[in-house]
Amino acid sequence: MTRPLLIAASLAALFAATPALAQMGPPQPLPADVLADTADEPTASFLRAHVVAEGPVTGGLTFDFPATFYENRLFLLAESHGSAAPQILDLELLTHLNARIGLTDYVAEVDPVQGDRLNQYLESGDEDVLDRVFDHWTTIGAQWGNRSFEDKVRGVRALNQGLAAELRIRFIGVDAIQDWDLLREWVEARGGSIDAAAWEAGDLKVRSALALAALDGRAGDPVGLRLVELLRRLSVDSHRETAIFETYAHAVRSGELGDRPAYGLWGMFHAMQGPVNGAMPFAARVDASDLPARDRVVTVAILSLDSAVQIPVPTPSGVQRMRLTDFNIDGPFVKVQGSATLRAASRPDRILVFDPGAAGTPVRAGDFMSIQTSVGQAFNLDPSIPSSDYAQYIGVFRGSDWAAPREQTAP
């Protein structure tokens, strides 16, 4: 979300976009032979017989996961940012897990300071605190700066208000630093001093080192210790996926999270449990680790049909976040293997989640996970790994509106 806000970069959660794509002109449709697809009716029938969550795209879902689902330790909902429906599913699945297994830890795609501020809002209800977190995304034109996400955080607070203290949700931010100004405010509020000129001139590694030095002896609480671990990592290695995994691992090993179950909504790439384009995402790293969640990660990947998405688009007057309807999984710019089958299995204006790995599955490797696109790199998977090993559950939403920006934008 801190990379250039171009079409390709704004879809980085779905496919591994690169800064070089900044020179691209308007996206071109995929070739007709790539978009051509026919529904596999036996597979669609199998999916319809193995629905584990269902409800209107506007909310009110029911859940029917198998008992083994609840034995996991890291639950990940995977999306391509910019539509409203995943935010609705996120809150309802979080609520369900809280009621079913007492889950309270939301491992979020935000940095530790942002997560701390979100927790402050959950406790106080102070809208100024919530605005401070979202104003950053609004200012830079990032998809996270949307009303659906903001309203979901309000929904988490409303949920907490009806829960006993020990069952209330809290955010654990494990992402790399997104809002450097907020980090500096947070450090200085604890008495740390940062040289302003060095900060403004510094890159990610320099700023991480400066903040780390300023926090010396001032980070005794779990959030501060988690932040210190992240800054140590970033001061020598700016790789985002490594930072996410190591910060999550610190939360587990330090006892802040321990072996309690955790849940979070993440961009599609981060939640894949196998190599994507030769890289190892966060979830795959957890699966290969010695953490309690090893082999106990479950991914629910949610895909879009007939829906609108918010996409930041560069214009001569600056980045405009636009409501587009051409970025669904069946073209013209994105094509997911088996999208016609997902359409046949799903229903208009509904969210459905399927269990594609149930006994007797006809689902092939790559189905519903392999992606081709004309706006960035493809989403290439290991053909020897079943789709249900990358994501154990596949969801489809149809008829969702976009996740509207917090401020007025061009139509």
Side-chain angles (χ1 to χ4, degrees), residues 190-221:
R190 281 153 181 74
S193 178
I194 296 176
D195 182 273
W199 180 267
E200 293 301 325
D203 60 12
L204 180 153
K205 290 183 179 180
V206 168
R207 288 186 174 187
S208 297
L210 288 169
L212 187 60
L215 277 172
D216 185 32
R218 298 180 175 86
D221 61 306

Side-chain angles (χ1 to χ4, degrees), residues 30-76:
L30 288 162
D33 61 325
V34 173
L35 295 173
D37 198 2
T38 301
D40 182 325
E41 185 50 43
T43 301
S45 179
F46 176 87
L47 294 176
R48 288 192 295 267
H50 293 87
V51 173
V52 294
E54 181 178 10
V57 75
T58 52
L61 284 80
T62 58
F63 298 96
D64 189 26
F65 288 100
T68 53
F69 173 80
Y70 302 99
E71 297 172 2
N72 289 288
R73 277 296 171 267
L74 181 59
F75 300 81
L76 299 174

Side-chain angles (χ1 to χ4, degrees), residues 3-10 21-27 140-141 311-322 324 327 410:
R3 293 189 175 95
L5 295 173
L6 302 162
I7 290 177
S10 67
L21 293 168
Q23 305 305 316
M24 289 176 58
I140 67 173
I311 292 186
V313 178
T315 72
S317 60
V319 173
Q320 298 292 328
R321 289 180 292 161
M322 297 187 175
L324 302 178
F327 285 86

Side-chain angles (χ1 to χ4, degrees), residues 129-146:
V129 174
L130 188 62
D131 284 343
R132 178 60 188 86
V133 175
F134 278 85
D135 281 347
H136 167 70
W137 293 317
T138 300
T139 300
I140 67 173
Q143 286 166 309
W144 268 156
N146 69 72

